[in-house]
Amino acid sequence: PVMTQFHVVGDALLDVLATGMPSIPGWGEDINASSIQCQAGGSALNTAVHLAGILGRSATVTMHGCVGKDGFALILQEKLAAAGVRSQLQAIDAPTGSCMVLSGNSDRAFVTCAGATGQLGAQHLEEIHSSVAAGVSRVHVHFGGVYSYGPLRSELVPFVKKLRATATQSRCHVTISADVNGHIPEHTAGMEEILEVLDVFKGNDDEARAVAGGVDNPMEKLAAGGRCVMITKGSKGAEYKWKDEAGEVEGFK
């Protein structure tokens, strides 16, 4: 059987989770938490780990991103290795990205240091281009957590166009997907142009509406031209559309 390569690009962060707090502390306050834990995270890294778990040995999954030269980076590398994900996390002169999650009884608050993740650029993705140029039969590239992109946000469209041109020459079948993982304007900036080079878009209701320009029914606009679109709805499941096929999937109960 033909082996497919999956490449996941984006944020790799260390999450510091403080849970069980009665409230979120203000300046000068100290609140007791029931637990504080550190774990590998980032929307793109989580996608790579889950994808490897689903695919097993039927395909290879590679994670592309940037980390620092510190202990946090080692935790991320160990997580990928344990999940069977090939690591292309490149160490640069910046701290590994991290996110502090303060979880109270009714809500959460976040403190994020993008660090090395925020410096990810097209120059860090050369292995993907090399795989396509080498004539690998099937390559899928997922750009995860576009909200976190620094230089890569403006470089993504030219990179994909170059990748597709190379794929035509090498007869490699390439597909591209993305999720933004955010819905405020600074998170979705540039997504209208990025959408045009995608085969698949995934997002929740708020993200889909934001990327579609605030329209009430974002599905039709996002799926224009035959693009596959999946819009998640939390516990209610998800809806999808691809060409003439559309439907809904119930959430897990």
Side-chain angles (χ1 to χ4, degrees):
V2 175
M3 180 72 77
T4 300
Q5 289 187 2
F6 286 85
H7 297 267
V8 181
V9 178
D11 53 335
L13 307 173
L14 185 82
D15 290 335
V16 181
L17 312 176
T19 60
M21 296 182 297
S23 63
I24 303 299
W27 293 118
E29 296 181 345
D30 184 5
I31 298 292
N32 188 55
S34 60
S35 70
I36 299 178
Q37 300 178 351
C38 293
Q39 64 183 39
S43 58
L45 184 143
N46 288 338
T47 296
V49 168
H50 293 316
L51 189 58
I54 293 170
L55 296 172
R57 296 183 179 180
S58 65
T60 61
V61 179
T62 303
M63 172 70 199
H64 301 262
C66 288
V67 293
K69 301 172 183 178
D70 50 34
F72 283 2
L74 295 179
I75 296 174
L76 303 184
Q77 298 282 18
E78 289 172 358
K79 177 69 174 182
L80 294 177
V85 178
R86 290 184 64 249
S87 175
Q88 280 294 310
L89 295 180
Q90 300 186 36
I92 64 174
D93 291 324
T96 296
S98 57
C99 179
M100 297 177 62
V101 184
L102 308 179
S103 181
N105 292 333
S106 60
D107 207 346
R108 295 187 300 172
F110 304 87
V111 180
T112 300
C113 169
T117 280
Q119 297 187 31
L120 177 64
Q123 75 270 24
H124 300 113
L125 309 179
E126 186 54 38
E127 189 199 77
I128 301 176
H129 187 265
S130 297
S131 294
V132 171
V136 174
S137 296
R138 297 179 183 275
V139 172
H140 181 82
V141 184
H142 178 70
F143 292 95
V146 175
Y147 84 98
S148 68
Y149 288 8
L152 186 58
R153 187 187 297 263
S154 61
E155 298 168 354
L156 191 155
V157 171
F159 175 80
V160 171
K161 289 181 176 179
K162 179 183 177 182
L163 203 64
R164 291 198 190 278
T166 301
T168 299
Q169 296 176 348
S170 65
R171 298 184 179 180
C172 172
H173 181 71
V174 171
T175 49
I176 308 292
S177 63
D179 65 71
V180 62
N181 206 35
H183 63 273
I184 64 175
E186 65 186 76
H187 290 166
T188 61
M191 278 303 299
E192 185 174 356
E193 183 182 5
I194 292 172
L195 191 67
E196 295 302 313
V197 299
L198 300 182
D199 299 294
V200 182
F201 171 83
K202 182 191 78 69
N204 62 28
D205 265 331
D206 291 336
E207 293 160 357
R209 193 173 294 109
V211 172
V215 298
D216 291 332
N217 182 18
M219 180 64 81
E220 292 303 317
K221 182 173 181 178
L222 296 175
R227 183 180 303 106
C228 179
V229 175
M230 292 170 285
I231 301 178
T232 59
K233 298 178 178 294
S235 61
K236 297 180 180 179
E239 63 175 317
Y240 66 89
K241 182 176 177 60
W242 182 50
K243 297 181 179 179
D244 296 328
E245 183 179 351
E248 297 183 357
V249 178
E250 290 187 0
F252 289 106
K253 296 180 181 179

